[in-house]
Amino acid sequence: MILTVTLNTALDITYRVRSLRPHASHRVTEVTERPGGKGVNVARVLTALGHEVTVTGFTGGGTGRAVQDQLAAAPRLVDALVPVGGPTRRTIAVVDEQTGDTTQLNEPGPTVTPGEWSAFQEAYEDLVPSAAAVALCGSLPPGVPVGAYAGLIRTARAAGVPVLLDTSGEPLRRGVAARPDIVKPNADELAELTGSHEPSRATQDARRRGAHAVVASLGPEGLLAVTPEGRWRATPSARVHGNPTGAGDSAVAGLLSGLVERLPWPDRLTRAVALSAATVLAPVAGEFDRAAYEELLGRVSVTGEVSAA
């Protein structure tokens, strides 16, 4: 079982409009709703790859019930979300059909009380020993301590369970210091963490700060990985166009599934890049196009070198 943690779960709502114009009224051509938040998106991709996944985090209110109702119908997925008094947030994605651009509106999430945070920590400690790996993903809702991920990483490490961290800002800085097995920042998050806008230098700096391996997401330019086993750059054969929502989460699923399956790093990166690109091409935000994924697997270029023993 793989455990994904989404402290700020969401009900993702996607609107499609012919053309998005400021200060104008729009007729929506299509509406979709689905459980969301970064760790939930990761879980969805992992189950599509055939893995058993448990989802935990917080849920509350009517939107939380809607999230859980949809999770209950998902194959190979167990709902272990912890209830809170406030309502689960909504995220609104507005897709401009003319340009393909997406405008994202993200609510902050419910305020978590100290008692609710303690209840989550107890549930997490019970789940971790049964996990093959843990993914800690996304923003922190109000009320959760800024060092929350650092504590959750230490719990996983104490249980001997590998952990991947995908967050930003101060939670990322504190989390890296707790020595996660993999950190997956994007270029902006990496620059904020290290102060360097040069990806190769910044990934090495992030490793020195405590991360075992750093995989930097460079958008359409693919992934850059610096690990104890070596350094690699994985790039798609051509730039793809579509909705990038969830592409980074698909990359996390590729890395995490490769870790659990004990794939060598070049194969993990190939899978992550192919999944990310196939997510951009999918008609629904956060899904991935299976046919495109299978085709893209053979078209990812990986260059790099193995570290000397």
Side-chain angles (χ1 to χ4, degrees), residues 41-67:
N41 294 338
V42 171
R44 184 181 298 111
V45 176
L46 286 169
T47 59
L49 294 173
H51 289 274
E52 302 289 331
V53 183
T54 296
V55 172
T56 191
F58 294 112
T59 183
T63 48
R65 286 191 295 275
V67 165

Side-chain angles (χ1 to χ4, degrees), residues 237 240 270-271 273-283 287-300:
S237 59
V240 296
T270 295
R271 178 181 291 181
V273 169
L275 281 169
S276 181
T279 299
V280 174
L281 293 170
E287 299 283 356
F288 73 93
D289 185 310
R290 172 71 70 170
Y293 166 63
E294 299 291 347
E295 179 186 356
L296 288 162
L297 274 173
R299 296 166 51 194
V300 176

